[in-house]
Amino acid sequence: MRHRITEMEAGLWSLGVFAIITILVFCGRLQTVDAQSALLVNRYDLGGFGTSLMQLFTSYGRELVWGLLVLVMFLFGNRNTKVLALELGVLFLLGALLADLCKILLPRPRPFPAIPVTLRVPNETDSSYPSGHALIVSIGAAFCLASFRRRILAGLLTFEAGIVCYSRVYLGVHYPLDVAGGVLLGIAIALVGTSLLRKYVHPHLTRTAEATERILGKGYVDL
């Protein structure tokens, strides 16, 4: 009988691959390939409309899209959806803290001016690794794919997360492995974090959702 991998196991595997990529990045073994890949993506000009679209996704596709999703789920969701919103909100907060910590502990210069990328947004000065945008949207995408019954919505949100990740390299502010690191760490946080929350914190989140229902009334959004 084949063993079905659990969310915890998948999250730990993702964390392990993140650790391997991190070691390779900071040993310099993949710098040439990473730089060439960054230039390949960055130099494929999407034109005025495509570039504006990438700028839009990179500016609003993280906090606005995913923040609004959590807010709508919490305010208008039924009890189960409210609990999902609380779980996702906790995971986003944890992801933001870990992203900042990684950027402090793992300083990596941005692609510009080390390689001749075309900057299509203002350059950023914090560490390039891992991509904070990729980390946050990957938490959201992995959580939705693992927890939402509405698969089409989960798929659309995952597609949105993919565009945000692509935009970071296309606009010239990240190497591809910065994004890969953010994606892997985000998946790990989503899957391991969800497993732990449901094991240890679920009753408290349910009580919070019940208290909210007494104030706002029962919601109707069921995800």
Side-chain angles (χ1 to χ4, degrees):
M1 186 174 180
R2 294 179 64 183
H3 171 68
R4 183 179 179 274
I5 190 168
T6 65
E7 290 181 6
M8 174 67 81
E9 290 170 337
L12 291 174
W13 273 105
S14 184
L15 185 61
V17 178
F18 167 76
I20 292 170
I21 288 180
T22 301
I23 292 170
L24 291 174
V25 166
F26 285 91
C27 284
R29 296 293 180 87
L30 299 176
Q31 179 61 32
T32 300
V33 174
D34 209 14
Q36 290 173 346
S37 300
L39 290 171
L40 185 66
V41 174
N42 176 256
R43 287 176 175 174
Y44 186 80
D45 193 352
L46 297 177
F49 177 76
T51 298
S52 296
L53 196 62
M54 291 300 106
Q55 292 168 340
L56 188 68
F57 270 91
T58 213
S59 297
Y60 303 109
R62 180 176 59 171
E63 288 91 347
L64 184 61
V65 170
W66 292 95
L68 280 176
L69 175 67
V70 171
L71 186 62
V72 169
M73 288 169 62
F74 187 71
L75 293 179
F76 303 108
N78 59 17
R79 185 174 300 176
N80 179 66
T81 301
K82 281 181 168 56
V83 172
L84 291 177
L86 291 168
E87 289 175 345
L88 187 53
V90 170
L91 294 173
F92 280 149
L93 288 175
L94 177 61
L97 290 173
L98 286 178
D100 288 343
L101 181 61
C102 285
K103 285 179 177 291
I104 293 171
L105 298 177
L106 302 170
R108 187 189 194 193
R110 297 278 175 167
F112 182 85
I115 59 175
V117 293
T118 300
L119 277 175
R120 297 182 172 96
V121 290
N123 199 22
E124 300 173 22
T125 57
D126 60 341
S127 174
S128 192
Y129 188 89
S131 166
H133 280 70
L135 189 152
I136 294 297
V137 298
S138 295
I139 290 174
F143 181 87
C144 292
L145 289 172
S147 302
F148 282 14
R149 293 191 298 270
R150 297 186 181 275
R151 310 308 294 171
I152 293 177
L153 177 60
L156 289 173
L157 288 168
T158 301
F159 181 70
E160 186 272 349
I163 295 177
V164 172
C165 291
Y166 177 83
S167 73
R168 302 303 288 164
V169 181
Y170 174 75
L171 296 173
V173 290
H174 277 295
Y175 293 98
L177 287 180
D178 298 335
V179 172
V183 169
L184 289 165
L185 185 56
I187 292 172
I189 291 169
L191 299 183
V192 174
T194 299
S195 298
L196 294 176
L197 285 173
R198 290 177 182 171
K199 185 175 182 179
Y200 297 108
V201 190
H202 186 75
H204 303 288
L205 299 181
T206 301
R207 284 195 291 271
T208 302
E210 291 171 352
T212 305
E213 281 185 337
R214 291 194 289 270
I215 299 171
L216 300 176
K218 292 186 177 180
Y220 54 87
V221 176
D222 182 14
L223 299 179

